[in-house]
Amino acid sequence: MTTCCIVPSHQKGALSVPKSTSPLAPLKHDTFRLIWFASIISNFGGLVQSVGAAWMMTSISNSSDMVALVQASTSAPIMLFSLVSGALADSFDRRRLMMVAQIFMLIVSVLLTICTYLGFVTPWLLLTFTFLIGCGTALNNPAWQASVGDMVPREHLPSAVALNSVGFNMTRSIGPAIGGAIVAAAGAAAAFAVNSLSYFALLFALHRWKRPPVDAVLPRESLGRAIGAGLRYVAMSPNILKVLLRGFVFGLAASAVLALLPLVARDLVAGGPLTYGLLLGAFGLGAIGGALISARLRERLTGENIVRLAFLGFAVSSALTGWSGTTLITCLALLGAGAGWVLALSLFNTTVQLSTPRWVVARALSLYQTTTFGGIAAGSWFWGVAAEQYGADMALYASAALMLVGAFLGLFFALPEFEALNLDPLNSFTEPMLKLDLTPRSGPIVVLIDYEIDEADVPAFLAIMGERRRVRIRDGAGQWALMRDLENPRVWTETYHVPTWVDYVRHNQRRTQDDKSIHEQLHALHRGEGTPRVHRMIERQTILPHPYEQFRRQMDIPH
């Protein structure tokens, strides 16, 4: 299981990121502490398994792209299924969802161990098993990352980011080396057995976590609507879209180092499985360093500058890895790659969570994972094919060039800085007293809001309405329009549709404290008596008779 770069999303008050706090502060919280230690054990097993799978593929296949596909087979399910997992995590009990994912991965790992021990594993069967483990990771990660915000308060966010990165990369720094030793001494089956045992620690920690039940005020959305709501929210959130683009490019370029590392160990530095483990350990040690200096960097640099630094540092490291012919120089190069990996991905993750309210945080994180791991999966395949055709060194040079492109994109798609973003629910909506007897599924509902605006205020009104449109659609409205009365030009009417009455209530409950300023600015421009008038209507259409029925009536033809 991989739980790198987990960022809590507990949001209380303004979302300006605290500049510094004790790196051990999150460990004061019992649930976080227990799951953090259990995750270290689980991550250790996962890294031992990845070493066993990667090196086993080099033993049973001479194809470079098959070796690279080991990483791709683990990353591809995260790209394919994370959005569904995010919708499930926002709709169901996250703790139970994580337990299901862990049990599934445990079963798959045990079967992989048995098949390997009996000598049944072929290259494609190995990829099938790693793909299934990736499916379990895809189910687990959105629920896990969204749950950390329930374990620690928001003020510990920087420390939680660093601590989770340190925990994961502690295992990365020693796990692969130990995994390489296990493979060299006892074979891949032993590595897979170690991974199977590692799941029990996290299952125990999840069993001990007594997550308080959440009272559902509204009925649960269907899976299709939940996925659509997540896609719509992200599509109408410019800050998240920037992260998705930069994350995809980073994953696409950075995947070359990890995907080709078995070939680097075997061909460029002429080593064996123990050398491969040492190289992965150097990458993990660099990642720990990156996590430890992240707080200091945040005090001195903007988030965008940190990301550019990560891109540039990884580019240099990738080029040095391709150039080097010795284990020592390659290990030194991988220290920089590991630091860049953590600095970029942890900041991307933080940006997504600070840009997203709690009701949709798992879906936003899943889309971030989809694009980032999609880049990793596509890159793993692409760099494997490139290495097959031109050699691992040339593929690493090309990935370094792509990293430079990713840094350059920051000039046009810079990550935002968070100063006063408050995504707590506004909680100002009260259901109106209705004269019609509606059910939650009654609809479609049409809403019209009348404003009286002075001619001098029209430009300001239209500018604010542009932002109002984005927020309305983001939160679930459809067919949004703004109309002006031809007979009374002072009157403007905003209108939008929602499918049912319960969707209308849900739409209003999704408004955040940060959206309140739009509401206040519109009310300040309104020149009518009182507040803008709201009309809530249910749409009804008359159905015309069938054309033959109309003809029969006109001609007075009997039945």
Side-chain angles (χ1 to χ4, degrees):
M1 172 190 166
T2 300
T3 54
C4 159
C5 298
I6 299 164
V7 185
S9 55
H10 195 81
Q11 297 171 1
K12 296 291 184 184
L15 289 183
S16 55
V17 180
K19 290 295 184 182
S20 62
T21 186
S22 170
L24 301 180
L27 295 179
K28 297 176 182 178
H29 306 279
D30 293 340
T31 299
F32 180 86
R33 182 174 63 250
L34 180 61
I35 295 183
W36 185 78
F37 280 113
S39 296
I40 290 178
I41 298 173
S42 183
N43 288 330
F44 172 80
L47 288 166
V48 170
Q49 185 271 340
S50 66
V51 172
W55 197 257
M56 184 178 183
M57 185 62 83
T58 64
S59 302
I60 62 178
S61 173
N62 293 321
S63 172
S64 297
D65 56 340
M66 290 297 289
V67 174
L69 279 176
V70 172
Q71 179 172 303
S73 65
T74 304
S75 304
I78 300 176
M79 174 189 67
L80 295 173
F81 306 128
S82 279
L83 182 55
V84 175
S85 301
L88 293 173
D90 280 329
S91 303
F92 294 91
D93 184 272
R94 291 167 182 162
R95 170 182 164 274
R96 293 183 180 179
L97 205 61
M98 287 186 281
M99 293 190 73
V100 169
Q102 295 298 316
I103 292 171
F104 173 78
M105 288 188 285
L106 170 61
I107 293 171
V108 174
S109 298
V110 169
L111 290 175
L112 174 59
T113 303
I114 294 172
C115 290
T116 304
Y117 179 77
L118 296 177
F120 294 157
V121 175
T122 63
W124 285 108
L125 184 59
L126 177 60
L127 291 177
T128 299
F129 277 118
T130 54
F131 180 84
L132 291 174
I133 292 174
C135 290
T137 303
L139 179 62
N140 179 85
N141 279 1
W144 168 230
Q145 296 196 33
S147 294
V148 177
D150 301 326
M151 302 176 192
V152 299
R154 178 202 159 273
E155 57 267 22
H156 293 161
L157 182 135
S159 299
V161 175
L163 197 57
N164 278 292
S165 298
V166 167
F168 176 78
N169 289 290
M170 282 171 55
T171 61
R172 187 191 286 275
S173 62
I174 62 173
I178 296 175
I182 292 173
V183 173
F192 301 150
V194 169
N195 183 46
S196 300
L197 293 174
S198 70
Y199 290 108
F200 288 100
L202 196 50
L203 283 169
F204 173 75
L206 291 172
H207 176 72
R208 289 286 304 273
W209 179 22
K210 304 302 180 185
R211 187 171 183 262
V214 178
D215 295 330
V217 179
L218 297 175
R220 183 183 295 123
E221 287 182 289
S222 66
L223 182 60
R225 284 198 174 183
I227 292 174
L231 289 169
R232 182 173 55 245
Y233 189 92
V234 170
M236 301 304 293
S237 301
N239 289 342
I240 302 178
L241 291 176
K242 293 176 183 177
V243 176
L244 299 190
L245 173 63
R246 305 290 293 285
F248 175 79
V249 174
F250 186 87
L252 184 67
S255 61
V257 170
L258 292 177
L260 300 179
L261 210 53
L263 301 179
V264 172
R266 188 187 69 184
D267 301 334
L268 298 186
V269 299
L274 185 58
T275 302
Y276 174 55
L278 289 174
L279 296 182
L280 277 176
F283 186 95
L285 190 62
I288 291 177
L292 293 177
I293 65 172
S294 61
R296 192 67 63 87
L297 288 176
R298 284 197 308 271
E299 294 176 355
R300 290 168 169 77
L301 301 173
T302 65
E304 175 56 34
N305 284 335
I306 294 174
V307 168
R308 292 183 194 177
L309 179 65
F311 270 97
L312 295 174
F314 209 107
V316 173
S317 298
S318 183
L320 282 175
T321 301
W323 170 82
S324 171
T326 65
T327 302
L328 177 60
I329 295 178
T330 303
C331 284
L332 292 175
L334 291 172
L335 290 174
W341 178 275
V342 164
L343 288 173
L345 294 185
S346 62
L347 193 55
F348 290 155
N349 196 302
T350 303
T351 303
V352 171
Q353 296 214 40
L354 292 181
S355 301
T356 312
R358 294 293 296 166
W359 68 268
V360 73
V361 65
R363 280 165 280 186
L365 285 168
S366 70
L367 281 167
Y368 159 68
Q369 290 185 8
T370 297
T371 54
T372 301
F373 281 88
I376 292 173
S380 298
W381 171 81
F382 176 80
W383 300 122
V385 172
E388 185 80 18
Q389 297 292 324
Y390 306 105
D393 54 346
M394 297 304 297
L396 289 168
Y397 295 151
S399 73
L402 184 57
M403 275 290 179
L404 296 178
V405 174
F408 179 74
L409 285 176
L411 298 176
F412 307 97
F413 303 99
L415 297 188
E417 295 300 319
F418 297 93
E419 298 299 335
L421 195 62
N422 186 343
L423 300 181
D424 283 342
L426 186 57
N427 290 330
S428 63
F429 176 73
T430 302
E431 283 196 56
M433 299 295 296
L434 304 178
K435 298 296 180 66
L436 288 179
D437 186 16
L438 297 184
T439 68
R441 297 174 62 87
S442 296
I445 303 299
V446 183
V447 181
L448 300 94
I449 307 173
D450 295 331
Y451 303 90
E452 291 190 28
I453 306 297
D454 288 340
E455 186 65 31
D457 294 330
V458 167
F461 174 75
L462 293 177
I464 299 169
M465 269 298 173
E467 184 67 9
R468 166 57 68 90
R469 173 187 177 276
R470 183 186 69 83
V471 171
R472 290 285 195 205
I473 297 174
R474 183 199 68 187
D475 290 348
Q479 303 180 47
W480 187 94
L482 181 63
M483 300 174 289
R484 190 174 192 179
D485 194 321
L486 294 177
E487 297 180 358
N488 185 1
R490 282 172 53 92
V491 176
W492 295 75
T493 301
E494 175 193 8
T495 177
Y496 63 91
H497 292 59
V498 288
T500 65
W501 179 254
V502 73
D503 288 311
Y504 173 70
V505 176
R506 185 179 283 117
H507 167 81
N508 283 278
Q509 291 184 349
R510 287 172 175 172
R511 284 187 294 176
T512 67
Q513 295 286 345
D514 194 61
D515 300 330
K516 184 179 180 180
S517 62
I518 299 174
H519 178 80
E520 292 174 343
Q521 291 176 70
L522 289 173
H523 278 227
L525 294 176
H526 176 62
R527 299 297 180 238
E529 294 183 5
T531 59
R533 185 179 178 186
V534 181
H535 308 266
R536 303 173 184 91
M537 303 180 179
I538 187 166
E539 185 177 288
R540 287 291 179 261
Q541 295 182 354
T542 57
I543 301 176
L544 295 175
H546 189 275
Y548 172 75
E549 181 66 19
Q550 290 180 294
F551 175 75
R552 187 192 64 78
R553 292 178 182 178
Q554 291 173 0
M555 302 301 294
D556 196 22
I557 300 174
H559 285 287

